[in-house]
Amino acid sequence: MTVDEEFRYITTNNVPDYYMNPYCPIGLGYGYCVPQEVTCFFPDLTCGEDNGEGTTEYGDIWVPQLAHFKIPLVGNPTRADRPGDMYDAVLVGAEKDMGPAQGVAINGINIQGPNDAGDVSIDEGGFQLACGGHVTPPTTNLDMPGPFQGSPPLYHYHKSPDCLAPFKNASIGYAHGAQPYKHAQLTGWALDGFGIYAYQDIDGAAPVVDQCGGHFGPVDTGEVVYHYHSRPIVPYHLACQGPSLRQCDSTQRGTNYCHPGCGADVCIQPGTSEDELRAYLATWDDLWLNQYTTNIFHN
């Protein structure tokens, strides 16, 4: 990864930095589609058979693939076009050559949306993901339509990559140095430039997030910024590029993955300093917050 004054540049081979078992989404000897899918794009594919590169008799394994990302160093939460589509790169000045990605984890693995089996979430589809990730179906030998061009199994995240250090920082046990009562550490970056953090907020509290899955508040450095939180429930990372302003529904394609939100236009973590928040927003528009309702966040 390199950076300049405006952007973060990431080149990755999408290979996880930990062991991964051979994978079948439903089970060895079964296919790749679940009943909830309206259309199955690989009805004749069986896991454990020779389906080309990256397939074994025990399941599928990752195959390296180079991907490139250009992500703004600093996201602007006051943009007039917010909220945005969770996968958008163009409007926010980002670039990517992996279409389904909505962000990149700190280990270079691309983060994809909450759905896998067509228009159902990972959990609704019944998929079991170790460390929040798995590989795509091996379609090298298939004549695939549109965005499903044939490719070997490619590793990616949908859910929280909870085997990474930012998650273990809170979960390994207090006697072993865990810090469950501090704001979670950075686990990745969304395409709009905002950071994605692990589960907990300041003092170990649950993050009070908007419909996109983000909010304003201090992060582990103490700086008050807009940022996202990974979570074990849909949308897992983000449902839209925030702030949501209670308009997440307008960004969804088909199935709605929006978080319930905090009941206000702008969601701010309780205990956040209003002076620090307004100083942060003044970078772009010092009157921006006055246009919207907020949850109660003052001490």
Side-chain angles (χ1 to χ4, degrees):
M1 180 177 71
T2 60
V3 299
D4 60 22
E5 294 181 353
E6 294 185 72
F7 296 98
R8 186 183 314 277
Y9 302 89
I10 300 172
T11 298
T12 175
N13 60 7
N14 286 294
V15 173
D17 51 345
Y18 45 81
Y19 177 76
M20 174 197 156
N21 286 312
Y23 177 79
C24 288
I26 302 172
L28 191 64
Y30 290 86
Y32 291 80
C33 299
V34 294
Q36 296 94 325
E37 292 182 83
V38 176
T39 302
C40 177
F41 291 96
F42 3 82
D44 301 320
L45 208 58
T46 301
C47 194
E49 296 184 351
D50 182 1
N51 295 308
E53 185 180 15
T55 63
T56 77
E57 60 183 308
Y58 305 107
D60 303 332
I61 57 175
W62 51 258
V63 173
Q65 183 189 51
L66 279 181
H68 307 83
F69 298 89
K70 174 185 173 184
I71 299 174
L73 273 182
V74 179
N76 176 0
T78 70
R79 294 173 59 101
D81 57 5
R82 302 296 85 186
D85 186 289
M86 71 176 97
Y87 301 107
D88 175 65
V90 176
L91 286 178
V92 294
E95 296 179 11
K96 60 176 178 175
D97 54 12
M98 181 161 288
Q102 59 174 216
V104 187
I106 55 174
N107 62 350
I109 302 299
N110 72 95
I111 300 170
Q112 299 190 11
N115 61 307
D116 185 73
D119 272 344
V120 297
S121 70
I122 291 296
D123 287 308
E124 188 176 356
F127 298 110
Q128 302 298 307
L129 274 56
C131 196
H134 67 171
V135 292
T136 56
T139 59
T140 306
N141 298 338
L142 302 182
D143 183 16
M144 302 296 293
F148 300 98
Q149 291 93 345
S151 66
L154 305 175
Y155 192 78
H156 58 284
Y157 293 131
H158 286 284
K159 300 188 71 175
S160 303
D162 53 12
C163 67
L164 300 189
F167 292 91
K168 293 197 293 184
N169 180 61
S171 65
I172 59 174
Y174 189 74
H176 294 266
Q179 298 179 313
Y181 299 115
K182 291 189 175 181
H183 190 285
Q185 297 175 335
L186 181 76
T187 188
W189 303 272
L191 293 173
D192 56 8
F194 295 117
I196 303 172
Y197 291 78
Y199 296 140
Q200 77 275 10
D201 211 280
I202 296 294
D203 298 328
V208 177
V209 297
D210 62 22
Q211 294 173 336
C212 290
H215 68 169
F216 292 94
V219 293
D220 56 334
T221 62
E223 182 183 14
V224 173
V225 295
Y226 185 81
H227 59 284
Y228 302 105
H229 276 275
S230 185
R231 65 189 57 75
I233 60 173
V234 167
Y236 309 130
H237 295 98
L238 55 144
C240 56
Q241 294 177 354
S244 69
L245 309 177
R246 286 200 283 192
Q247 298 177 38
C248 177
D249 291 358
S250 67
T251 70
Q252 302 300 287
R253 314 176 190 177
T255 301
N256 190 323
Y257 295 109
C258 297
H259 188 277
C262 67
D265 299 332
V266 174
C267 299
I268 304 168
Q269 186 67 16
T272 298
S273 164
E274 183 171 351
D275 289 342
E276 292 181 31
L277 173 58
R278 288 188 177 276
Y280 165 64
L281 293 170
T283 304
W284 303 279
D285 183 351
D286 58 358
L287 299 178
W288 179 84
L289 192 60
N290 298 345
Q291 308 171 63
Y292 303 107
T293 62
T294 70
N295 60 304
I296 298 174
F297 65 96
H298 300 91
N299 290 325

